[in-house]
Amino acid sequence: MENEIESIEIRFYRKEEGFTCNVRGDYALPFIIPEPYWSFYKKGKVISPELEAPFGNSLYDKIFNSNERKRKITEILKNLTTGQSLNLSIFSDEPTLHEIPWELINKDGSPNGFLLKSGNISITHTTSTISNVPPARPPFRILIILSLPLAIYKEAPLDPLYELEIIYKALEDYKDIVEIDVFEKASPSKIRERLIKSHYHIIHFTGHGLPGGLIFEKDEDYTEEAILKEKELKELFSGLNVNAIILDACHTATGASLFDSSTALTVHEGRIPLVIANQSSVSDILATKSMREIYKNLFTDLPFRVLNDVRLSLQREWWKPVI
């Protein structure tokens, strides 16, 4: 059947010094993050190309670690057709579990075994925080925040005008149902004031991120940076009835430590249903290319499918965007 949706929820829990997980509500079994891959990866949130497939295969084996689980996932993957969609939902309140690059999951350890390279399989991350945001109705209002303090821009320049051009092109087919506002000189207080006065369905942040935080411009001097972390980010984005936030910056899905929430997780826990972020550093060119694919699909696909085409269009960085 075309457009049929299959969903597998994988829930993780902390138990004493380790973790357990259940798949679709089955009996919880121990889960151990695979080594030595995890130790290599967590040092700088990078993994060498030759280790991507074995790391992903180890994650696959650690989840589907019983005969029954292996039988069921093998049957599902075997019967999944092009017109069907499969979403693996990683459910946990433990920040450490969301630091794992689940997007690398690989069924057999081969270059062709990455599940997310099939084009119809997705992975989403979520917590027990329940989002009660009303469904969006057109016209869809988008706020694009351009945050480029001069001190940071000199060290790591971006081309926001080019990205704006890409976004506008991607939304050409939806110009009758989309309204776009662009916000420059983005200090936290001015952004919050705008968000309170005007309702937006989508907030798009373009700028720089760091593990556990976003870089904005200071209220007193927009040439200087103001780094917002967990508490300040929650205050900035909470209670807005926003349907989606797109964090187009490096390390927006990376925590300051394994025990701290990433920017994406912090925002999601602030009752934002859909957050798109990056779990490592990304090149400016490829980040912009991702935006083209995201906006082309944002109003046509189910939320968990938004990144499917992005992954197929990217090369080395295909696994870095996360939902």
Side-chain angles (χ1 to χ4, degrees):
M1 183 184 296
E2 291 295 304
N3 300 319
E4 184 179 343
I5 303 166
E6 184 86 42
S7 181
I8 298 176
E9 186 177 74
I10 305 167
R11 287 182 172 246
F12 293 88
Y13 303 93
R14 180 173 289 281
K15 187 173 183 180
E16 297 175 354
E17 297 302 316
F19 302 101
T20 63
C21 80
N22 62 44
V23 179
R24 280 187 166 175
D26 68 1
Y27 185 78
L29 296 174
F31 171 78
I32 300 173
I33 306 175
E35 294 289 4
Y37 314 108
W38 175 236
S39 292
F40 293 152
Y41 176 74
K42 67 183 181 182
K43 288 178 182 177
K45 300 307 291 284
V46 294
I47 191 80
S48 57
E50 66 273 12
L51 292 182
E52 289 177 358
F55 189 5
N57 186 231
S58 293
L59 290 172
Y60 183 93
D61 288 341
K62 295 294 184 182
I63 293 174
F64 304 107
N65 55 354
S66 70
N67 291 334
E68 183 62 11
R69 287 182 181 180
K70 283 178 177 153
R71 183 190 67 78
K72 287 183 178 179
I73 189 62
T74 299
E75 183 179 358
I76 289 171
L77 295 176
K78 180 181 177 181
N79 295 326
L80 193 67
T81 65
T82 304
Q84 297 173 317
S85 297
L86 171 64
N87 181 56
L88 304 179
S89 176
I90 305 297
F91 184 105
S92 178
D93 288 331
E94 296 287 339
T96 301
L97 275 303
H98 293 291
E99 294 288 316
I100 298 172
W102 297 105
E103 289 67 21
L104 288 173
I105 194 166
N106 185 302
K107 62 183 178 182
D108 57 19
S110 74
N112 297 319
F114 295 106
L115 298 190
L116 269 59
K117 283 194 172 184
S118 68
N120 60 343
I121 300 178
S122 312
I123 286 181
T124 56
H125 301 240
T126 191
T127 70
S128 59
T129 301
I130 299 174
S131 303
N132 294 313
V133 177
R137 296 286 184 267
F140 300 109
R141 304 199 66 224
I142 303 174
L143 178 65
I144 300 176
I145 299 172
L146 302 179
S147 179
L148 295 170
L150 185 61
I152 298 296
Y153 180 79
K154 288 180 178 179
E155 296 179 9
L158 298 174
D159 189 349
L161 295 181
Y162 175 65
E163 177 156 343
L164 284 176
E165 180 184 346
I166 291 296
I167 292 172
Y168 277 104
K169 283 183 178 179
L171 291 172
E172 276 182 354
D173 292 341
Y174 309 102
K175 58 186 176 184
D176 293 334
I177 61 170
V178 170
E179 298 175 0
I180 302 174
D181 288 343
V182 179
F183 195 89
E184 299 179 81
K185 296 182 173 58
S187 69
S189 65
K190 291 177 181 177
I191 293 170
R192 181 66 183 178
E193 182 180 355
R194 169 70 72 90
L195 294 176
I196 291 174
K197 287 182 177 180
S198 304
H199 174 251
Y200 293 95
H201 299 100
I202 301 169
I203 298 174
H204 176 123
F205 175 89
T206 287
H208 290 290
L210 71 168
L214 288 179
I215 300 176
F216 292 90
E217 300 168 22
K218 281 189 176 180
D219 285 309
E220 316 82 50
D221 183 356
Y222 66 84
T223 65
E224 296 294 326
E225 72 270 18
I227 298 175
L228 266 62
K229 295 197 173 180
E230 188 170 358
K231 180 181 177 182
E232 294 88 353
L233 288 169
K234 284 183 178 178
E235 291 175 352
L236 181 62
F237 292 120
S238 64
L240 299 175
N241 285 331
V242 172
N243 297 84
I245 291 185
I246 299 172
L247 299 171
D248 187 19
C250 296
H251 288 294
T252 43
T254 303
S257 78
L258 293 178
F259 308 103
D260 296 316
S261 294
S262 66
T263 298
L265 199 58
T266 295
V267 171
H268 179 57
E269 289 174 335
R271 302 190 182 280
I272 306 296
L274 177 66
V275 183
I276 298 174
N278 294 300
Q279 59 188 332
S280 184
S281 60
V282 291
S283 66
D284 188 27
I285 293 176
L286 291 183
T288 300
K289 189 175 182 180
S290 296
M291 290 306 112
R292 180 192 296 123
E293 299 300 330
I294 286 170
Y295 275 104
K296 282 170 61 178
N297 289 284
L298 196 58
F299 307 117
T300 57
D301 281 335
L302 294 168
F304 65 82
R305 296 182 58 178
V306 168
L307 291 180
N308 286 13
D309 288 342
V310 171
R311 301 194 193 282
L312 297 179
S313 68
L314 298 179
Q315 296 179 6
R316 280 287 308 117
E317 300 184 299
W318 64 271
W319 56 272
K320 293 183 179 181
V322 301
I323 300 177

